[in-house]
């Protein structure tokens, strides 16, 4: 075990969506860095249905470097799917996941690998700061992580997708059958001996962020639903609250009726109708959302569809040290 860890092969999984500029940069930086550190490695680029020339860039890298491989999705399936596809391809004794825009500092992969060598099985990258964002974005992110931290039972406020996992942890994750797997939380949820490495989110090297406000909201809702049934309990809570106030109002109305001052409560009736109607509809919506999720899972469709693959080609002139 110890011996195997000392020389273990490291797979680096890099999801890429419209990253034609970042792919060569990431491949170059990582190969240089890891070769220099004497770590045996392979890079797995997952082209998540990009619309630009990302796949051509991945193929070009694979043609130049024996340790680069690529898979391409038939369409955009999202970052989570890309991460799981990459992990499924990983042949390493451990696998790192990082953004291919180099916002996760590549040097930290070496630190993570060293920690893995000492015996840790899950090494999580945690953010020291969240990089540059608008205040609204920060607030939204904060509430999202507050809900998820409670649901997952681990502090997620600084969590990221930047991680290094031992083979065993990778296999456990791959064996999970849920379609809406949320990598960031699941990799903490599985346990194992874990530790953290702090990193500072770097400014983007190339291109721009692929997240629109809409996709972020959808991402937040999906992941909360996949990790927590709390919104369903909220329905019960709302029901209880409305019930209690209706008991109060009932007593009040009865009192008025008995003392002969009824009739004037017309506004109250309208307000109550509106309130109860909207609460009911919100609750139905929440329940419907979960039913939709169950429906999605039960259809058992694949998480992603691979359209193409490429393998690293050994090149006589190029040694690993001199790409
Ligand atoms: N990404 C992906 N599929 C998507 C969106 C993003 O594979 O649908 C990848 C993207 O190429 C990058 C990483 O996920 O490597 C993080 O995306 P981005 O930099 O746009 O997000 P941010 O850093 O702003 O959170
Ligand atoms: Mg980024």
């Amino acid at each position: 075990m110890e011996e195997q860890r000392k020389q273990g092969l490291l797979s680096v999984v890099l999801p890429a969506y419209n990253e034609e500029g970042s792919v060569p940069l990431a491949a170059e930086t990582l190969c240089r860095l890891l070769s220099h550190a004497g770590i045996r490695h392979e890079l797995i680029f997952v082209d998540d249905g990009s619309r630009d020339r990302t796949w051509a860039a991945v193929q070009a890298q694979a043609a130049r470097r024996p340790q680069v491989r690529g898979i391409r999705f038939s369409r955009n399936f999202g970052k989570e799917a890309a991460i799981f596809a990459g992990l499924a391809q990983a042949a390493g004794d451990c696998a790192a996941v990082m953004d291919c825009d180099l916002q996760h500092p590549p040097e930290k992969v070496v630190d993570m690998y060293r920690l893995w060598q000492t015996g840790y099985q899950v090494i999580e990258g945690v953010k020291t700061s969240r990089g540059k964002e608008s205040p609204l974005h920060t607030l939204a992110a904060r509430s999202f992580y507050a809900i998820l931290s409670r649901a997952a039972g681990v502090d997620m406020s600084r969590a990221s997708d930047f991680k290094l996992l031992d083979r065993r942890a990778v296999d456990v994750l791959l064996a999970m059958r849920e379609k809406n797997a949320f990598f960031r939380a699941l990799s903490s949820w599985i346990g194992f001996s874990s530790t953290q490495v702090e990193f500072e989110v770097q400014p983007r090297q190339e291109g721009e962020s692929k997240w629109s406000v809409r996709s972020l909201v959808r991402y937040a809702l999906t992941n909360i639903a996949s990790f927590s049934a709390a919104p369903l309990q909220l329905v019960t809570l709302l029901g209880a609250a409305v019930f209690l106030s209706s008991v109060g109002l009932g007593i009040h109305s009865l009192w008025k009726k008995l003392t002969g001052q009824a009739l004037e409560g017309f506004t109250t009736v309208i307000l109550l109708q509106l309130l109860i109607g909207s609460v009911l509809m919100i609750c139905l919506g929440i329940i419907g959302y979960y039913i939709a999720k169950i429906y999605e899972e039960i259809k058992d469709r694949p998480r992603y569809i691979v359209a193409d693959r490429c393998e690293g080609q050994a090149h006589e002139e190029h040694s690993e040290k001199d790409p």
Side-chain angles (χ1 to χ4, degrees):
M1 181 88 181
E2 281 297 307
E3 272 312 300
Q4 190 196 339
R5 274 182 187 269
K6 269 179 202 144
Q7 300 298 325
L9 172 68
L10 166 70
S11 306
V12 183
V13 173
L14 300 130
Y17 178 53
N18 296 344
E19 303 274 13
E20 56 180 355
S22 307
V23 168
L25 211 64
E28 164 81 44
T29 316
L30 279 167
C31 286
R32 184 158 28 83
L33 199 85
L34 294 172
S35 305
H36 192 74
I39 299 172
R40 281 200 305 132
H41 60 277
E42 60 167 4
L43 306 187
I44 302 162
F45 284 96
V46 184
D47 176 1
D48 185 10
S50 303
R51 290 158 194 274
D52 64 357
R53 299 186 44 76
T54 300
W55 182 239
V58 172
Q59 282 177 313
Q61 290 304 317
R64 287 185 57 194
R65 303 172 207 269
Q67 70 273 49
V68 171
R69 285 194 283 147
I71 43 179
R72 179 193 204 181
F73 285 174
S74 60
R75 64 168 171 84
N76 182 245
F77 279 93
K79 188 180 176 188
E80 305 295 312
I83 290 174
F84 280 92
L87 289 177
Q89 291 298 310
D93 301 299
C94 59
V97 174
M98 63 185 289
D99 285 2
C100 102
D101 55 15
L102 294 180
Q103 281 189 286
H104 297 156
E107 323 72 78
K108 293 287 176 185
V109 176
V110 177
D111 299 350
M112 289 177 163
Y113 183 83
R114 300 283 177 238
L115 282 167
W116 173 75
Q117 284 179 314
T118 67
Y120 287 106
Q121 287 165 309
V122 177
I123 298 109
E124 306 186 73
V126 296
K127 301 171 190 162
T128 47
S129 69
R130 292 191 47 91
K132 257 191 237 135
E133 281 173 343
S134 71
L136 192 69
H137 189 135
T138 310
L139 180 76
R142 234 183 242 152
S143 4
F144 169 61
Y145 283 118
I147 298 175
L148 263 179
S149 301
R150 291 203 64 171
V154 275
D155 177 22
M156 300 274 309
S157 58
R158 294 155 73 215
S160 71
D161 285 332
F162 187 25
K163 314 216 176 206
L164 190 144
L165 306 171
D166 182 60
R167 181 81 249 165
R168 224 175 313 153
V170 172
D171 288 341
V172 167
L173 282 180
L174 289 175
M176 291 195 182
R177 287 174 48 224
E178 52 190 296
K179 299 287 177 307
N180 268 322
F182 181 35
F183 176 70
R184 200 173 293 191
L186 271 183
S187 50
S188 310
W189 181 87
I190 55 172
F192 289 112
S193 65
S194 63
T195 185
Q196 300 184 331
V197 168
E198 291 199 329
F199 74 94
E200 189 113 11
V201 180
Q202 304 297 308
R204 224 174 199 288
Q205 300 276 340
E206 270 291 327
E208 52 194 40
S209 177
K210 306 302 178 308
W211 295 94
S212 61
V213 174
R214 203 165 140 239
S215 65
L216 274 177
V217 170
R218 199 172 47 211
Y219 177 84
L221 288 181
T222 312
N223 291 321
I224 288 173
S226 87
F227 241 89
S228 160
L232 285 176
Q233 269 125 41
L234 191 77
V235 172
T236 322
L237 268 182
L238 273 176
V242 172
F243 175 73
L244 281 182
S245 37
S246 66
V247 167
L249 260 166
I251 292 173
H252 174 78
S253 308
L254 272 180
W255 175 251
K256 288 226 158 176
K257 169 117 184 134
L258 290 179
T259 50
Q261 344 161 18
L263 241 189
E264 43 131 319
F266 198 59
T267 323
T268 325
V269 174
I270 293 177
L271 286 180
L272 274 179
Q273 288 261 16
L274 289 175
L275 180 73
I276 294 173
S278 47
V279 167
L280 277 179
M281 284 208 235
I282 293 171
C283 295
L284 275 179
I286 297 175
I287 295 168
Y289 189 76
Y290 276 88
I291 293 180
K293 291 287 156 207
I294 297 171
Y295 180 52
E296 255 168 47
E297 295 280 338
I298 223 154
K299 276 189 288 189
D300 211 24
R301 287 195 185 148
R303 236 181 240 167
Y304 51 83
I305 298 167
V306 174
D308 215 344
R309 288 167 201 279
C310 64
E311 294 291 327
Q313 313 278 306
H315 215 286
E316 307 87 61
E317 278 104 311
H318 296 301
S319 78
E320 264 199 25
K321 282 237 163 77
D322 172 33

